Amino acid sequence: MTLDRPLILAIGDSLIAGYGLPTADSFPVQLQASLRRACPSARVVNAGVSGDTTADVLRRLPRMLSALDQRPALAIVQVGPNDVLRQVPVGRTRAQLGQVLLSLGNCGIPVLLTTVDPPMFIRDRAAAYLGIHAALAAEHGATVWPFFPPGVLGHADMVLADRVHPNARAIAAVVAAMLPVVERIL
């Protein structure tokens, strides 16, 4: 990492917010702890809200950015599954996510846009949304990366009692897999 005090803004839904987890086990806290091994002053801001859609993230973005004490060296954006679950029209999801990326780009903030493979129970409903993240990442110069590494999704020992949200062990695997790309971008 080349920055002395990198700030990372983690934006998104329950996967970022840490739904059902103690704060110490959330994605932002675990990522910050891992980054601090190489850069003790690294900070990761948790701007995740459970249930957020692309519209919610877009609406909250100006307030999030203005509340920061420095420009982020990176924004990690994880949003979209709730759009699928709520059946937000595909075009609207794409436009709103595009606006999020445009806004971050206009602020000079590099973006790591994460994707989530849809679980079997919504795979058919999610089909029309597949590819939105990759297409927008290419259009806006963002890096696209899977939120969950292979071997995490679909395993009973990697989820909370709701059988949907990741547990601390799963988030640790997410951080371990994502850390090299985060460090490369920084």
Side-chain angles (χ1 to χ4, degrees), residues 34 55 139:
S34 293
E139 186 178 318

Side-chain angles (χ1 to χ4, degrees), residues 78-97:
Q78 167 45 56
V79 67
N82 291 314
D83 289 63
V84 174
L85 291 172
R86 294 182 184 149
Q87 297 183 329
V88 173
V90 174
R92 188 178 312 153
T93 295
R94 188 183 198 290
Q96 292 165 163
L97 185 55

Side-chain angles (χ1 to χ4, degrees), residues 12-151:
D13 55 26
S14 58
L15 298 177
I16 296 295
Y19 175 86
L21 296 173
T23 301
D25 292 335
S26 69
F27 170 78
V29 172
Q30 287 196 48
L31 179 61
Q32 179 174 290
S34 293
L35 285 169
R36 284 188 170 177
R37 291 183 188 116
C39 182
S41 61
R43 289 188 301 145
V44 180
V45 173
N46 186 343
V49 175
S50 293
D52 260 11
T53 63
T54 54
D56 299 318
V57 169
L58 181 59
R59 186 173 29 261
R60 291 189 306 111
L61 188 59
R63 188 172 12 125
M64 280 185 255
L65 293 173
S66 66
L68 299 173
D69 61 357
Q70 73 183 75
R71 186 175 74 203
L74 173 65
I76 299 173
V77 178
Q78 167 45 56
V79 67
N82 291 314
D83 289 63
V84 174
L85 291 172
R86 294 182 184 149
Q87 297 183 329
V88 173
V90 174
R92 188 178 312 153
T93 295
R94 188 183 198 290
Q96 292 165 163
L97 185 55
Q99 283 298 310
V100 168
L101 297 178
L102 181 64
S103 295
L104 291 166
N106 286 343
C107 293
I109 303 169
V111 175
L112 176 60
L113 181 61
T114 65
T115 60
V116 175
D117 285 334
M120 290 305 293
F121 71 93
I122 62 165
R123 194 167 303 271
D124 289 342
R125 188 186 320 178
Y129 297 83
L130 298 177
I132 289 175
H133 288 66
L136 287 172
E139 186 178 318
H140 293 276
T143 301
V144 68
W145 192 261
F147 188 82
F148 293 108

